[in-house]
């Protein structure tokens, strides 16, 4: 066997081996499975894991924006006119969050922690000074007290007299700082002297700066990657007690800070929100890209806050059959000490049109008022998010309080917040590096197939060259007679002989 033949044979064997092995690995997805299994093992909430430290102290900056609805026609509204509001904001704060008292439990299969948050005001990102800017809005402490005493004529009459003597009206004008971080309300202060259950300080964010929402226990994902970050208990309870059905009281999903890797477009992302006193879900909307990182955008659909007629699964969120609100609203008074607080998306986005048209100055827009979550599907990392929620107060006639007699049931918007985060450059670089490794390892069989294809091309070239060398050229031979006179075969006739051509000059 010649050297050329050996080379052709060797190239052929290598080519066949690479193609067979490569195609087999592509079909079986062995490397992809190995890489995914590696991710499942590394993305767990245990000491020393790839994500544990960033879970305890998330590096991307979080911003909290507050927008208030300033009511401009209080007197006209109390006389029967349509309420008019103007949006004022944002008042922006840098939000610092970290997990405190982190403790591993049950052989590292679960971890307990307190989610602590603190806020620092950013003047350059705000429209004004929160200590000076004033907002006219619903007097929430007064409405909370009146609703608490609903049905008790004797106590209602006493408190009504007390309200008149203190000058506590149905609406109030306070600074942004007071509305957010608290002020001493005169009515609450008087009632606090009669009952230890009453707190004289009221604020929409009171006791939420430098504090936590209570103890959470999470699955680490050690046993099942789908459980990564999922809440097991909150404040020691695996079920809530605010609502009327077990389904409504279920604590589902994560707390919104961690999501399992290998996310599918068809799955529902479950999130438990202490602020809403319930779990919500999000569904895939579209593919997006943030800092070059591919992501799936998940958003809460209309069915999350749909009425019981539109979504029967939401019937458990009706406090009573008579207190069922329409689509887009959630009455959260069971977890707000009975105050008539109603949650919604900003400007009643995704709500029934009647709530939008009832207030002058409300204009829902998806781009400004939609809540969304952009997740990298491979790692589950949050690359961008905007949580937007609105606080409203339900006002209506309340027996025993003369001032409420001219009022019809109305949902008055007070304030909405926009909590936003975008992955920082350093974290994005780490995600890019991880995704590159995952891509290379997952596509390694394709590299093998590509090498096999290159070897196949080399083999074809070698075979063509070998064939050319073995085929004699037309110039190398000629036909000449065997002798000067052609011989005649008595049986076969004339024949000629084939001899090499001789150069005439030789």
């Amino acid at each position: 066997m010649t050297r050329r033949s050996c080379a052709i044979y060797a190239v052929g064997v290598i080519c066949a081996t690479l193609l067979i092995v490569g195609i087999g690995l592509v079909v079986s997805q062995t490397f992809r499975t190995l890489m995914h299994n590696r991710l499942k093992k590394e993305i767990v909430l245990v000491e020393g894991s790839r994500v544990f430290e960033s879970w305890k102290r998330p590096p991307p900056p979080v911003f909290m924006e507050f927008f208030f609805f300033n009511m401009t026609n209080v007197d006209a509204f109390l006389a029967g006119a349509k309420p008019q509001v103007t949006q004022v904001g944002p008042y922006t704060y840098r939000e610092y969050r970290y997990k405190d008292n982190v403790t591993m439990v049950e052989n590292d299969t679960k971890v307990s922690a307190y989610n602590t948050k603190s806020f620092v005001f950013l003047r350059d990102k705000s429209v004004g000074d929160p200590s000076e800017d004033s907002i006219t809005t619903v007097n929430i402490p007064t409405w909370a007290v009146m609703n608490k005493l609903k049905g008790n004529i004797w106590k209602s009459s006493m408190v009504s007299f007390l309200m008149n003597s203190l000058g506590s009206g149905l609406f109030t004008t306070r600074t942004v700082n007071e509305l957010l971080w608290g002020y001493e309300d005169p009515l609450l202060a008087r009632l606090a002297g009669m009952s230890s259950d009453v707190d004289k300080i009221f604020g929409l964010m009171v006791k939420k700066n430098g504090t936590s929402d209570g103890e959470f226990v999470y699955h680490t994902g050690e046993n099942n990657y789908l459980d990564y970050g999922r809440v097991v208990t909150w404040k020691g309870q695996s079920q809530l007690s605010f609502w009327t059905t077990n389904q409504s009281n279920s604590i589902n999903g994560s707390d919104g800070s961690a999501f399992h890797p290998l996310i599918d477009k068809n799955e529902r992302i479950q999130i438990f929100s202490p602020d809403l006193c319930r779990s919500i879900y999000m569904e895939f909307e579209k593919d997006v890209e943030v800092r070059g990182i591919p992501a799936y955008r998940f958003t809460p659909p209309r069915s999350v806050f749909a009425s019981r007629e539109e979504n029967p699964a939401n019937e458990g969120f009706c406090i009573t059959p008579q207190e069922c609100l329409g689509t887009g609203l959630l009455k959260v008074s069971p977890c707000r000490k009975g105050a008539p607080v109603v949650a919604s998306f900003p400007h009643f986005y995704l709500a029934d049109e009647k709530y939008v048209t009832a207030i002058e100055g409300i204009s829902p827009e998806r781009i400004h008022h939609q809540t969304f979550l952009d997740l990298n599907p491979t790692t589950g990392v949050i690359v961008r998010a905007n949580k937007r929620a609105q606080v409203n107060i339900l006002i209506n006639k309340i027996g025993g309080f003369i001032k409420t007699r001219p009022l019809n049931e109305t949902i008055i918007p007070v304030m909405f917040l926009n909590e936003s985060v975008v992955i920082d450059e350093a974290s994005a670089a780490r995600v890019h590096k991880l995704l590159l490794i995952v891509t290379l390892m997952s596509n390694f069989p394709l590299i093998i197939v590509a090498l096999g294809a290159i070897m196949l091309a080399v083999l074809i070239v070698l075979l063509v060259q070998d064939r050319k060398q073995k085929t004699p050229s037309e110039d190398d031979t000629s036909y000449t007679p065997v002798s000067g006179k052609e011989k005649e075969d008595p049986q076969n006739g004339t024949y000629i002989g084939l001899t090499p051509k001789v150069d005439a000059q030789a």
Side-chain angles (χ1 to χ4, degrees):
M1 185 179 289
T2 64
R3 183 179 299 176
R4 181 179 295 275
S5 298
C6 289
I8 292 174
Y9 178 78
V11 170
V13 171
I14 295 172
C15 171
T17 302
L18 289 174
L19 287 175
I20 293 171
V21 172
I23 293 173
L25 290 174
V26 169
V27 172
S28 64
Q29 295 191 337
T30 303
F31 275 77
R32 184 182 181 88
T33 302
L34 289 173
M35 200 64 234
H36 286 181
N37 288 337
R38 181 71 180 272
L39 278 175
K40 295 173 187 177
K41 292 295 183 183
E42 288 198 9
I43 300 182
V44 290
L45 297 178
V46 296
E47 290 283 357
S49 72
R50 185 184 292 270
V51 297
F52 194 62
E53 289 303 318
S54 61
W55 173 75
K56 290 195 296 185
R57 291 182 176 274
V62 180
F63 297 98
M64 180 72 88
E65 296 175 316
F66 296 100
F67 298 82
F68 287 86
F69 293 99
N70 186 51
M71 195 155 179
T72 58
N73 67 334
V74 171
D75 293 335
F77 169 69
L78 293 176
K82 186 177 181 178
Q84 296 179 354
V85 298
T86 56
Q87 179 178 298
V88 181
Y91 295 92
T92 306
Y93 294 76
R94 171 71 188 272
E95 179 181 331
Y96 295 89
R97 49 169 65 190
Y98 60 92
K99 301 287 194 300
D100 200 11
N101 293 332
V102 178
T103 307
M104 305 305 300
V105 295
E106 296 188 23
N107 296 322
D108 290 352
T109 60
K110 296 175 184 175
V111 56
S112 68
Y114 290 81
N115 298 326
T116 303
K117 298 179 182 179
S118 58
F119 300 89
V120 176
F121 180 65
L122 301 177
R123 181 64 182 87
D124 60 321
K125 293 181 179 292
S126 304
V127 297
D129 188 340
S131 63
E132 296 179 358
D133 297 354
S134 295
I135 302 294
T136 298
T137 186
V138 178
N139 192 341
I140 299 178
T142 296
W143 282 96
V145 171
M146 291 192 299
N147 272 267
K148 192 75 172 177
L149 301 177
K150 186 187 300 183
N152 191 322
I153 301 300
W154 184 76
K155 287 186 177 180
S156 296
S157 301
M158 286 187 60
V159 171
S160 180
F161 175 78
L162 188 60
M163 287 169 53
N164 290 330
S165 64
L166 294 173
S168 297
L170 302 180
F171 290 83
T172 186
T173 299
R174 296 283 179 176
T175 65
V176 170
N177 259 353
E178 288 177 320
L179 290 173
L180 283 177
W181 308 113
Y183 62 93
E184 183 176 314
D185 180 77
L187 179 60
L188 293 180
R190 184 66 64 89
L191 295 175
M194 307 175 188
S195 173
S196 59
D197 294 333
V198 178
D199 191 339
K200 63 182 180 180
I201 303 298
F202 168 80
L204 294 167
M205 295 290 290
V206 71
K207 298 181 180 179
K208 290 187 177 182
N209 194 356
T211 60
S212 73
D213 294 325
E215 184 190 30
F216 281 83
V217 176
Y218 308 89
H219 284 287
T220 62
E222 189 76 29
N223 292 334
N224 186 344
Y225 82 99
L226 293 173
D227 287 335
Y228 168 78
R230 184 165 67 84
V231 178
V232 182
T233 62
W234 175 56
K235 294 184 177 180
Q237 302 296 318
S238 58
Q239 281 274 110
L240 303 175
S241 57
F242 304 126
W243 313 110
T244 59
T245 64
N246 289 333
Q247 181 179 355
S248 300
N249 281 317
S250 297
I251 297 177
N252 300 321
S254 75
D255 64 351
S257 65
F259 299 91
H260 68 78
L262 308 178
I263 294 171
D264 188 83
K265 289 182 179 179
N266 296 319
E267 70 178 286
R268 274 185 169 179
I269 300 296
Q270 301 276 355
I271 298 174
F272 169 64
S273 172
D275 294 329
L276 293 175
C277 315
R278 61 163 290 187
S279 300
I280 65 169
Y281 54 85
M282 296 187 178
E283 296 177 346
F284 174 80
E285 182 183 88
K286 62 181 179 179
D287 290 285
V288 296
E289 187 176 284
V290 181
R291 295 192 187 276
I293 301 172
Y296 293 164
R297 172 161 294 181
F298 289 87
T299 62
R302 177 182 168 94
S303 58
V304 170
F305 288 156
S307 65
R308 63 179 177 182
E309 291 79 18
E310 192 173 324
N311 182 6
N314 285 345
E315 185 171 4
F317 296 111
C318 296
I319 302 168
T320 67
Q322 293 74 34
E323 293 184 86
C324 258
L325 300 176
T327 292
L329 304 181
L330 175 69
K331 192 173 183 181
V332 294
S333 54
C335 59
R336 292 292 180 268
K337 298 181 179 180
V341 179
V342 176
S344 71
F345 293 120
H347 284 253
F348 300 119
Y349 174 70
L350 296 182
D352 286 339
E353 186 65 20
K354 64 181 180 181
Y355 299 117
V356 177
T357 57
I359 310 291
E360 192 71 37
I362 294 296
S363 179
E365 298 179 42
R366 185 176 67 87
I367 190 172
H368 296 302
H369 304 139
Q370 182 189 49
T371 291
F372 66 84
L373 191 61
D374 294 341
L375 302 175
N376 174 252
T378 302
T379 61
V381 170
I382 301 171
V383 294
R384 179 171 54 198
N386 279 79
K387 184 181 82 173
R388 292 157 171 160
Q390 182 169 298
V391 176
N392 312 278
I393 299 297
L394 187 154
I395 64 175
N396 53 11
K397 297 182 184 69
I398 300 178
F401 296 94
I402 299 174
K403 291 181 179 180
T404 66
R405 284 182 181 175
L407 301 178
N408 295 316
E409 182 174 289
T410 309
I411 308 294
I412 302 293
V414 175
M415 173 270 286
F416 79 84
L417 59 86
N418 177 27
E419 189 176 29
S420 61
V421 62
V422 177
I423 190 169
D424 59 290
E425 292 186 1
S427 299
R430 288 194 292 270
V431 173
H432 273 296
K433 183 178 179 180
L434 179 58
L435 291 178
L436 179 61
I437 295 172
V438 171
T439 302
L440 289 176
M441 292 301 296
S442 298
N443 293 325
F444 186 70
L446 293 178
I447 298 175
I448 297 176
V449 172
L451 290 174
I454 294 172
M455 296 303 291
L456 178 60
V458 172
L459 177 63
I460 293 172
V461 171
L462 290 176
L463 288 172
V464 170
Q465 290 180 347
D466 185 64
R467 184 177 181 82
K468 284 184 177 180
Q469 290 188 2
K470 285 185 177 181
T471 302
S473 172
E474 188 176 323
D475 292 336
D476 293 337
T477 58
S478 64
Y479 292 102
T480 60
V482 174
S483 62
K485 182 181 179 180
E486 293 181 351
K487 295 182 180 180
E488 291 186 1
D489 189 310
Q491 296 180 354
N492 299 319
T494 304
Y495 71 91
I496 57 176
L498 183 65
T499 59
K501 183 178 179 181
V502 180
D503 194 338
Q505 296 179 354

